[in-house]
Amino acid sequence: DQQVKQNSPSLSVQEGRISILNCDYTNSMFDYFLWYKKYPAEGPTFLISISSIKDKNEDGRFTVFLNKSAKHLSLHIVPSQPGDSAVYFCAASVGSNFGNEKLTFGTGTRLTIIP
Amino acid sequence: EAGVAQSPRYKIIEKRQSVAFWCNPISGHATLYWYQQILGQGPKLLIQFQNNGVVDDSQLPKDRFSAERLKGVDSTLKIQPAKLEDSAVYLCASSSRNEKLFFGSGTQLSVL
């Protein structure tokens, strides 16, 4: 049972344009959501997160939007840069108990930025 | 600050053989996790330690997988005997209070 779904395995975007990565979840108990970025041969690194009490969180070029009623979140990258080419994982947890997180990951979306 | 260290980086074994992975978390991180990432899938939690105690091992196939965390620092994950479907990247992560998970680079296991 895939509780966190990323239905687009890959996405190509022109440099300078907006990249939008989508994620859907089925478990209504999830109330904390994160995006991780992964380069080849490296472990995932934390990018940005959002609590269910918010509908938007912004950090520089990265913005995450949460639509609780639709159980949907998205990551916007503006403007997209070649260094953004990576696999992006959406993850969710029940609670944001830092230091004791049990994350459920999606299958990932491979983002390719075209120069 | 040194990151999460894992070894080996790659391992190739035949089915029914045994294999062990090692992880050294970030200094001071009380919580340590082992994740399994099969090709084309997201990481799946296998086991979570808090210091040297197991917090969650509900998704660990205990008939063949075992893990320990010595003195609440380093950890080893063992598979005995390995099956073809165990081919994956095994990721170790650690965290402390008020911090996100930090992942190591992983061990890529191929079972032939």
Side-chain angles (χ1 to χ4, degrees):
Chain A
D1 176 28
Q2 191 71 28
Q3 298 185 66
V4 178
K5 301 177 184 178
Q6 294 176 256
N7 292 319
S8 298
S10 62
L11 176 67
S12 294
V13 175
Q14 206 76 29
E15 181 179 359
R17 305 292 291 270
I18 182 171
S19 295
I20 300 176
L21 294 90
N22 294 304
C23 177
D24 298 292
Y25 61 96
T26 57
N27 187 343
S28 58
M29 296 295 291
F30 288 145
D31 58 1
Y32 191 66
F33 305 90
L34 308 90
W35 285 93
Y36 277 80
K37 177 179 179 179
K38 185 182 184 302
Y39 291 118
E42 295 184 13
T45 56
F46 169 74
L47 191 57
I48 192 169
S49 63
I50 188 167
S51 165
S52 61
I53 62 173
K54 294 184 174 182
D55 55 17
K56 177 183 173 181
N57 189 27
E58 193 171 354
D59 183 3
R61 297 186 297 115
F62 303 91
T63 303
V64 56
F65 296 92
L66 175 62
N67 182 334
K68 290 188 293 292
S69 61
K71 294 191 177 68
H72 176 84
L73 64 154
S74 60
L75 173 68
H76 292 209
I77 306 173
V78 182
S80 300
Q81 299 175 354
D84 297 330
S85 295
V87 177
Y88 289 79
F89 290 100
C90 173
S93 69
V94 177
S96 58
N97 187 6
F98 298 161
N100 188 24
E101 294 176 332
K102 298 178 185 178
L103 299 178
T104 299
F105 283 86
T107 53
T109 296
R110 181 178 301 278
L111 176 65
T112 302
I113 304 303
I114 304 165
Chain B
E1 178 184 74
V4 177
Q6 289 189 247
S7 67
R9 286 300 308 273
Y10 305 93
K11 190 73 177 176
I12 301 174
I13 62 173
E14 294 186 352
K15 60 183 179 183
R16 292 188 289 273
Q17 286 188 321
S18 303
V19 65
F21 314 125
W22 174 82
C23 172
N24 181 239
I26 292 173
S27 177
H29 280 194
T31 311
L32 185 147
Y33 313 77
W34 283 101
Y35 281 83
Q36 178 193 56
Q37 185 181 6
I38 295 172
L39 187 64
Q41 300 182 19
K44 182 184 84 171
L45 178 67
L46 291 176
I47 188 167
Q48 177 185 348
F49 292 94
Q50 183 78 16
N51 295 308
N52 60 354
V54 176
V55 174
D56 184 352
D57 63 357
S58 57
Q59 298 193 89
L60 186 74
K62 298 181 187 64
D63 57 334
R64 298 183 299 105
F65 285 66
S66 64
E68 61 180 1
R69 189 176 184 195
L70 305 172
K71 300 179 182 177
V73 183
D74 292 7
S75 177
T76 56
L77 176 69
K78 297 179 181 177
I79 308 175
Q80 179 180 10
K83 292 185 175 181
L84 297 177
E85 59 260 36
D86 298 331
S87 294
V89 175
Y90 291 84
L91 294 162
C92 179
S94 68
S95 66
S96 66
R97 187 174 295 278
N98 296 324
E99 284 195 29
K100 297 291 184 290
L101 265 67
F102 290 86
F103 283 88
S105 298
T107 295
Q108 184 169 331
L109 173 67
S110 297
V111 182
L112 307 177

